[in-house]
Amino acid sequence: MKTAAAALLLMAALSTTGAASVQAAARQSNTGQGFGKQYVSLNNWARANEFTIRWIERDKTLQCSNPRARLVFNVDPRQDLRKAQINGVVVWLAFPLVLQNGNAFISQVDLEQTLAPVLSPPANRPGIKIKTVCLDPGHGGSDPGEVSGGNVEKKYTLLLAQEVRDQLTRAGLKVCMTRTTDATVKVQARPEIARQHNADLFVSMHFNCSEQARNEVKGVEVYCCTPAGATSRNAGGEGDTRWVKGNQYNEKNMLLAYQVQESILKSLAVEDRGVKRARFLVLSEAAMPAILIEGGFLSHPAEGRKIADPAYRRQMARAIVEGILNYQRIVKG
Ligand SMILES: [Zn+2]
């Protein structure tokens, strides 16, 4: 609360330029919820980029649209001010929007590293191709991952990864895996295996479990590495804002995460938990664009049953492969 108030005061002082330095507010924060460095008026940005900006619901939901894209932002402070949508897919901003006198301000980091990678995707240099994908079935061996009833995460991450491997291979890509059996593989070793195989992309696969007593939480989310300066969505208020190796690929991380989440949403009737950021070790240490897919909740009775069904996993694998191939087409340049 203190941080938000400080940020708003700074916004008020500097809003005539449409950008504000709220670094001081971030520094004062002892909650780990920094506001980043620079904010830009969403109105100004939309005008400069030929978006029409209008309320979907007054003081609650703001839309920026043009013939090519539709962005939706939550501006209701009672909800999470990081929740946005790009073309119907939920994407969590690295920093919450800041509101002042009915105007919304968005962080420069999000313009550059959340919106831009999807709206104006990065391209590989000519001749640079995506040839090898490293698949990382989460957990294994002595680490079962999440366990819910008879469902054990490590079993289904491997089965899903094997299905993705088979389909990617048929699509002409080379695949390496961090494990092919129920083996214990240290989390630190996983990005290293990808690097040793000269993998061009790293895709980690996991399933979720809800700690709530009622097993109503369900849906799919795809993570990529948190930009430097921002705190992560996960890990209960993780205050860490450092630069990590995975930040070299911020734009491509975001594009890959978005393409895979979009593809999964198109082909499976799952709840959209969105594209999120986290400094999971496999993402922060990756030496190539990397994502981590949480493919559903083992703890949700219906979703848990689906994850245990080979036909459903095959369909999910097809969606993941399609997302990777879409990414490949987009960055081809
Ligand atoms: Zn896991």
Side-chain angles (χ1 to χ4, degrees), residues 65-112:
S65 62
N66 67 19
R68 294 174 302 283
R70 180 171 171 267
L71 312 173
V72 175
F73 299 94
N74 170 53
V75 292
D76 180 352
R78 287 166 300 183
Q79 312 285 324
D80 195 322
L81 291 168
R82 287 173 296 183
K83 192 173 186 181
Q85 279 182 30
I86 307 178
N87 294 331
V89 177
V90 173
V91 174
W92 295 88
L93 301 173
F95 296 98
L97 292 185
V98 172
L99 309 174
Q100 188 225 327
N101 299 334
N103 291 316
F105 292 78
I106 186 168
S107 76
Q108 187 70 32
V109 170
D110 281 306
L111 289 177
E112 289 170 7

Side-chain angles (χ1 to χ4, degrees), residues 138-139 145-146 153 157 205-208 294:
H139 313 282
E146 303 287 0
E153 185 184 358
T157 58
M205 277 162 253
H206 288 254
F207 291 101
N208 251 322
E294 288 281 2

Side-chain angles (χ1 to χ4, degrees), residues 302-313:
E303 198 157 80
R305 259 197 310 278
K306 284 190 196 169
I307 293 164
D309 173 10
Y312 181 79
R313 287 196 307 270

